[in-house]
Amino acid sequence: QVQLQESGPGLVKPSQTLSLTCTVSGGSITTNYYFWTWIRQPPGKGLEWIGFIKYEGSTFYSPSLKSRTSISRDTSKNQFTLQLSSVTPEDTAVYYCARRDRQGWDTLVYDYWGQGTQVTVSS
C-alpha cells in the first residue's frame, strides 16, 4: 500500500547541490513512529545510509555526510527531500528513499523503498 518515489535531476555538476524529492503515497510521513530515510549505493559498492527525518520532523545524518546534508519535508504534499551540497564525482550513486520501521521489540527494518534514481556527478 505504501509507495515511495524518488524524483530529481539525474545529472549534477561538481560543486553544485544535489536535490531529490521522495513522494509518499498510501501513508502519511507524520505517522508515529516511522523514520523517512535516504540511502545511496555507489556503483560497485554497498548501501550507504545518508540520514532520516522523523515523523515529528527532527533529523539525523551520517557523520561522514552531516556537514553537506539537509533533509526536510513538506507535510502538505507528503514529501521529503534531500539536499547534498558541494557534490563531487564520488557522490555518483543510485539514491533511494525508504521508510524505517521497527519489527518486534529488537529489530529495525526498511520495509518500503522507492525504486531508486541514478544521480551522476559530472562536468
Side-chain angles (χ1 to χ4, degrees):
Q1 182 178 17
V2 176
Q3 297 182 78
L4 290 78
Q5 177 104 319
E6 304 90 347
S7 61
L11 182 64
V12 184
K13 299 292 187 182
S15 82
Q16 295 185 344
T17 295
L18 181 159
S19 184
L20 297 173
T21 297
C22 184
T23 300
V24 179
S25 61
S28 174
I29 62 173
T30 65
T31 296
N32 302 356
Y33 295 95
Y34 302 122
F35 294 2
W36 303 93
T37 308
W38 287 101
I39 298 162
R40 69 181 183 180
Q41 185 169 35
K45 300 181 179 179
L47 297 169
E48 179 184 16
W49 179 80
I50 299 170
F52 59 65
I53 185 163
K54 294 182 178 181
Y55 61 97
E56 32 83 340
S58 64
T59 56
F60 189 65
Y61 308 126
S62 170
S64 65
L65 299 170
K66 184 185 304 182
S67 67
R68 299 193 290 130
T69 305
S70 178
I71 298 174
S72 58
R73 66 179 183 171
D74 184 340
T75 59
S76 71
K77 297 180 179 179
N78 214 37
Q79 295 177 330
F80 63 105
T81 63
L82 170 68
Q83 292 190 300
L84 184 67
S85 66
S86 303
V87 299
T88 73
E90 298 86 73
D91 294 309
T92 294
V94 177
Y95 284 75
Y96 298 92
C97 55
R99 187 178 82 171
R100 196 186 92 168
D101 192 14
R102 188 175 296 275
Q103 292 188 339
W105 59 273
D106 64 348
T107 303
L108 297 174
V109 63
Y110 295 98
D111 56 354
Y112 291 96
W113 293 68
Q115 81 286 348
T117 187
Q118 172 70 45
V119 179
T120 299
V121 179
S122 176
S123 60

